[in-house]
Amino acid sequence: MTPSDAELADLARLRRVAELYAQGADRKDKAAWAAVLASDCVMMGPGFRTEGRDAILGLIDTLGQMFRATLHQVHQVTATITGDTARGETYCIAEHLLNDADAVLAWAIRYQDEWRREDGTWRFTRRELIVEWEETRPVTPKGAAATGEEQA
């Protein structure tokens, strides 16, 4: 079945939500995350479950404490849309520059996602982070990543 133009537009909007989430994580931008998370969003992954947008925004601080920098690369986003809700999966490679070594911890991630359209804007209502594998490799940090400074 061929998706309609409206469905294709919504699929592009869902992907954009995933991209803005990734960019917000990398820039430690709570306003960016607040824009893409529903107030009742639930986020979970290995060893954690966080409920509510305000609590989830605190995870940006945790990322900042755990790593000098991160780089999330969004790959395919697949979703099934039913009215103003959607369920799907987002593939991502998340690279984390370690605090104590010039090395990157890379995760191959599949997010199990749920979205809701609120006032015409799609937002995550649920994200489950599934790490398929991880890799650690040496790197040579450059620029702000070398010192752990904020990047714009």
Side-chain angles (χ1 to χ4, degrees):
M1 176 179 210
T2 303
S4 69
D5 289 345
E7 289 170 318
L8 289 173
D10 277 334
L11 288 169
R13 289 181 186 103
L14 295 174
R15 178 180 175 81
R16 184 71 177 144
V17 171
E19 292 167 343
L20 292 172
Y21 173 92
Q23 184 178 54
D26 295 339
R27 294 184 177 176
K28 300 176 183 76
D29 184 344
K30 291 182 182 181
W33 267 21
V36 299
L37 300 172
S39 63
D40 59 345
C41 187
V42 175
M43 188 170 301
M44 64 194 80
F48 78 95
R49 178 184 173 93
T50 307
E51 297 186 28
R53 178 174 42 221
D54 292 340
I56 292 169
L57 294 178
L59 295 176
I60 288 180
D61 297 329
T62 302
L63 275 176
Q65 294 165 3
M66 293 174 63
F67 306 107
R68 277 188 274 174
T70 61
L71 181 66
H72 291 73
Q73 302 162 57
V74 175
H75 299 290
Q76 69 264 30
V77 177
T78 58
T80 301
I81 300 166
T82 307
D84 288 334
T85 63
R87 296 178 135 218
E89 186 170 68
T90 301
Y91 279 52
C92 174
I93 299 294
E95 297 188 344
H96 309 82
L97 183 60
L98 301 178
N99 282 327
D100 59 352
D102 286 342
V104 162
L105 169 64
W107 287 349
I109 294 173
R110 285 186 307 109
Y111 288 104
Q112 299 299 298
D113 289 325
E114 295 179 17
W115 299 262
R116 181 173 59 231
R117 185 176 9 222
E118 300 174 337
D119 299 321
T121 301
W122 287 101
R123 291 185 173 86
F124 287 115
T125 57
R126 183 178 180 279
R127 284 209 108 182
E128 182 178 358
L129 179 148
I130 300 167
V131 179
E132 293 291 353
W133 63 81
E134 60 183 47
E135 166 192 30
T136 303
R137 64 182 184 281
V139 295
T140 304
K142 305 288 185 182
T147 62
E149 295 174 13
E150 294 289 321
Q151 298 184 36

